[in-house]
Amino acid sequence: MAPLRSYVSGGWQAPAEDGVPLFDAVTGEQITSVSSKGLDLAAALEHGRRVGGPALRELTFHQRAALLKALASFLREHRDELYALSARTGATRTDSMIDIDGGIGVLFGYGSKGRREMPNDTVYIDGNLEPLSKGGTFLGQHVCTPLRGVAVQINAFNFPVWGPLEKLAPAFVAGVPTLIKPAEQTSYLTARLVELILESGLLPEGTVQLVCGSTGDMLDHLTEQDLVAFTGSASTAQVLRAHPRIIGNAVRFTAEADSLNCSILGPDGKVGTPEFDLFVKALASEMTVKAGQKCTAIRRAFVPAELMDDVAEAVGARLAKVKVGNPTSDGVRMGALASLEQREEVRRSLKALMEVGRPVFGSPDHVDVIDADAERGAFISPILLRADDPACAQPHEVEAFGPVSTLMPYTSTEHVISLAARGKGSLVGSVVTGDTGFARDVVVGAAAWHGRMLVLDTDSAKESTGHGSPMPHLVHGGPGRAGGGEEMGGIRGVLHHMQRTAIQGSPKVITAITNRWTTGADRNDDGVHPFRKSLAELKIGDTVVGGPRLVTQEDVDHFAEFTGDKFYAHTDPEAAAANPFFDGIVAHGYLVVSLAAGLFVDPAPGPVLANYGLENLRFLTPTYPGDELTVTLTAKQITPRADAEHGEVRWDADVTNQNGESVAKYDVLTLVAKTHG
């Protein structure tokens, strides 16, 4: 039986030994074996830096995002094959959807965010310009550029598809190649995932590599430009974090560790209320999905002391309906743990938990299974424990990484906040309540110990993704025991893979570096109205000046009548004069903007297709009847859209009065054709 191959340095390579055997979690049958012996891991890292990195950095953020979207579509067409392998890890169809479809969803999410929230460029502008001099000739700007290393990901066994993809997506958009090192138990599924990625032919060579087996001496070859992202146990995270190379080179290291996540039922969640039912359903689901092998699973369930019996009975009744067995069989809702070793680990942890908690449902030593052998397969029963003394240490310190949760009572809002904090850092906590005051108190009180907090009520229940579902838009990670790191979080995850650098220079220099026109940089007024130029012809700095235009009292009166905006500053001379900001009747701000548009718009049909937005509007100086307005419109940023015959142009609009004072400043957004015949 051939061992798993790794994909490194541009090719598939077999290990120098058979290595560790890998078994079907359901049948106990050997599937393959895994080892990294004989692989040149230093060369693999260098291949990523030398080949993958330059290829990615040649692409813009939009181009990288488009490749992720295409890859997501390709993988979605081949997911049935991944489902079949996923069942051998003990996962049910629902479990596999969370892992496989969830991972593909992250690719789609970053494909969308990369195109909508990042420029069609290779440099990301972070924050606003910082004026560093009185005259405006010396400015500062933070920019982000890709690190010149490799994003090494060391993943856990429980999500062999989602884990690699949720780390790959932000690194890829950032322009940093990835090396995937999956956990051994389920690495055969990750290996097939990488095979599919390579078969798609979509990603440049060197941008994705795979090492099956141990990390070997990989970490010994990290440079200051590399990154490491780890998912797994807190103890392993501590060992990796302390590696001399990571410390010596200040390698960016982020950990997402298993944590003692909690869920809290609010005092309003009495029997018969929707909140009671939502809590019971969520707890039972989080215990059994992926057989409880989720870093976000509910390990501690806190309920008002007077509801302990009711909750225990209701959750037990729900768990009794869960059929355990072969995940491909009809009716089975919970499969096996990932391995027999994992089952023994859960049983060892249960011994400590059962010193202070008694089983309300389930047994660590017996489970009835469907279409499988309970001993050859890594099966275990869902187990709900009850610890009536929440002050005991074990539930707040020991995690059984399986279908296990401990029910504990609380007596007040302050009490439950203190209990939640005893987990010493969690990935997620949830509060099930219809009482917004209680929800606020708990969230504000416990947020410092949590990376994410879900408040579940009847309003959100139908669309909520649930306690245990990280989303690509939001950060996934947590403080303390949870690892102290962050993953995903939308563009935050992309920027983690980039270096933020403060650029100082003149407006002309800042404009050249950022591809975004900066006040004070050169303008180009060549006599051709910029609205007559297609995207291919338009240049940063192209300018048109319109005006002057006299603002009359009749203009102000007409605008007030026409729009219905009769605010006293525009209609009552005495009241306007009493306002500390005005010297009498002032023109409406939106009248100023409307008049400015009339000054810069070229009315004839041309390459400008639509005005679709106005941003960052500020009114800086009041406009009075008798003032004359001039507007200067400058092409600020040009963003072609790869999937359309047009692009976005951002224009800087500066409206000034006869004294040269800026009356209003804002950005105008237009859609402009790439070519115009």
Side-chain angles (χ1 to χ4, degrees), residues 112-336:
S112 175
K113 278 191 166 292
R115 286 176 291 127
R116 288 188 292 105
E117 300 181 28
M118 303 195 78
N120 195 8
D121 201 342
T122 57
V123 174
Y124 180 83
I125 302 170
D126 184 35
N128 297 322
L129 276 167
E130 297 290 342
L132 304 176
S133 66
K134 289 183 178 180
T137 60
F138 187 51
L139 305 171
Q141 175 70 67
H142 289 101
V143 299
C144 296
T145 55
L147 290 173
R148 299 302 180 97
V150 175
V152 176
Q153 50 166 274
I154 304 172
N155 291 315
F157 66 84
N158 51 337
F159 285 98
V161 174
W162 182 85
L165 295 183
E166 62 99 8
K167 292 180 176 68
L168 167 67
F172 191 89
V173 173
V176 178
T178 291
L179 189 152
I180 301 169
K181 209 300 289 182
E184 293 178 349
Q185 297 99 311
T186 54
S187 54
Y188 53 89
L189 177 51
T190 306
R192 183 54 190 148
L193 168 70
V194 174
E195 285 180 350
L196 287 171
I197 291 173
L198 296 172
E199 288 171 11
S200 75
L202 291 166
L203 307 191
E205 170 54 40
T207 59
V208 176
Q209 297 184 85
L210 170 73
V211 171
C212 293
S214 71
T215 55
D217 65 350
M218 183 190 303
L219 302 186
D220 295 336
H221 306 290
L222 295 174
T223 73
E224 68 283 348
Q225 290 290 305
D226 297 316
L227 310 93
V228 176
F230 169 75
T231 300
S233 70
S235 59
T236 303
Q238 291 176 2
V239 172
L240 294 176
R241 197 190 304 270
H243 191 281
R245 198 74 170 186
I246 290 177
I247 295 173
N249 284 339
V251 174
R252 293 189 190 182
F253 179 87
T254 184
E256 182 244 297
D258 308 332
S259 60
L260 292 164
N261 312 293
C262 70
S263 185
I264 300 167
L265 176 62
D268 57 315
K270 311 293 185 185
V271 176
T273 64
E275 286 73 25
F276 182 91
D277 295 337
L278 287 171
F279 181 84
V280 169
K281 180 180 179 181
L283 178 55
S285 175
E286 288 296 323
M287 289 179 63
T288 54
V289 169
K290 291 287 289 184
Q293 299 170 116
K294 293 172 61 181
C295 53
T296 54
I298 298 171
R299 305 301 180 195
R300 301 175 298 153
F302 299 121
V303 303
E306 66 273 15
L307 295 177
M308 283 285 285
D309 291 339
D310 295 323
V311 172
E313 180 180 353
V315 176
R318 197 169 187 94
L319 292 174
K321 298 177 182 178
V322 175
K323 295 181 179 179
V324 181
N326 189 322
T328 63
S329 297
D330 291 340
V332 170
R333 289 175 50 196
M334 190 179 103

Side-chain angles (χ1 to χ4, degrees), residues 6-7 23-24 34 45 59 63 103 105 108 119 122 139 278 319 363 439 469 474 483 485 534 610 647:
S6 296
Y7 186 82
F23 300 97
D24 188 307
V34 62
L45 290 170
L59 305 175
Q63 290 171 323
F108 275 122
T122 57
L139 305 171
L278 287 171
L319 292 174
S363 165
S469 299
L474 304 175
S534 69

Side-chain angles (χ1 to χ4, degrees), residues 9-10 45-57 177 204-207:
S9 300
L45 290 170
E46 186 58 27
H47 182 73
R49 301 183 197 110
R50 182 176 51 82
V51 177
L56 273 182
R57 293 193 297 272
E205 170 54 40
T207 59

